[in-house]
Amino acid sequence: MSENRTTSVSTWQFVCEIMKCYGMKTEDVIRRVTLKNIDSLEMSMKLVRSEDVDKCIELIDNAKNINLFGVGSSLLVARDFYLKLIRVGKLCNVNDDLHAQILYAKTTTPDDLAIIISYSGLTEEMIECAKTVKQNGGKVIAI
């Protein structure tokens, strides 16, 4: 890369430059990414309990309405899950606006389910949404 980089350099160009610096071939990158994904899946398998998954399925199945919560990259996961739920006929909501998410939490009923997604589990706004849902008698799945 030239000394005077501009912000218009694409992510792909950046990756190519890194590969050149470390003498990596495309096959090496593919192999490394694949192995990292396998490691992540194996770790997930060790952490997930089948009875927890069964309970989540039951909650999703019985929910009148499902509200999905997330910020940042966790919101992308929520949006993806929203599309999957819509495909199987579940009524659900997701909103990019945090204030709208807070309103969803405040208007949750005991028949509703909140699915709160947070990579760290420490996002203050998501913790507040979970508390609000619980105060209203709603059910919560935290991912």
Side-chain angles (χ1 to χ4, degrees):
M1 273 183 148
S2 66
E3 196 70 312
N4 52 359
R5 290 183 233 165
T6 65
T7 55
S8 64
V9 174
S10 74
T11 303
W12 179 246
Q13 289 170 320
F14 179 72
V15 169
C16 289
E17 288 295 322
I18 296 292
M19 287 171 58
K20 285 179 193 173
C21 286
Y22 289 97
M24 296 173 71
K25 295 181 180 176
T26 305
E27 295 81 19
D28 298 329
V29 174
I30 292 169
R31 187 181 334 80
R32 289 179 110 174
V33 169
T34 301
L35 291 174
K36 282 288 187 191
N37 283 325
I38 290 168
D39 287 345
S40 291
L41 290 169
E42 287 176 347
M43 180 66 75
S44 295
M45 190 170 66
K46 291 175 185 174
L47 295 172
V48 175
R49 297 182 342 198
S50 61
E51 57 269 16
D52 291 339
V53 174
D54 290 340
K55 180 64 176 170
C56 290
I57 291 168
E58 180 184 330
L59 289 170
I60 291 169
D61 194 40
N62 293 330
K64 180 178 178 183
N65 188 51
I66 300 169
N67 293 314
L68 299 160
F69 298 83
V71 292
S73 58
S74 297
L75 179 60
L76 297 175
V77 175
R79 294 174 97 201
D80 182 59
F81 194 43
Y82 165 81
L83 293 174
K84 289 172 174 53
L85 290 169
I86 291 291
R87 282 191 202 117
V88 296
K90 294 304 296 180
L91 293 175
C92 57
N93 301 298
V94 66
N95 199 302
D96 293 357
D97 181 52
L98 181 58
H99 293 110
Q101 291 184 41
I102 292 168
L103 288 173
Y104 285 144
K106 288 181 178 181
T107 58
T108 298
T109 71
D111 295 328
D112 297 332
L113 172 65
I115 299 177
I116 300 182
I117 300 167
S118 171
Y119 180 77
S120 69
L122 302 172
T123 309
E124 288 181 37
E125 298 86 354
M126 297 299 97
I127 292 170
E128 281 305 311
C129 285
K131 287 178 182 177
T132 302
V133 168
K134 292 295 261 180
Q135 288 169 353
N136 290 336
K139 294 152 196 77
V140 175
I141 295 173
I143 300 172

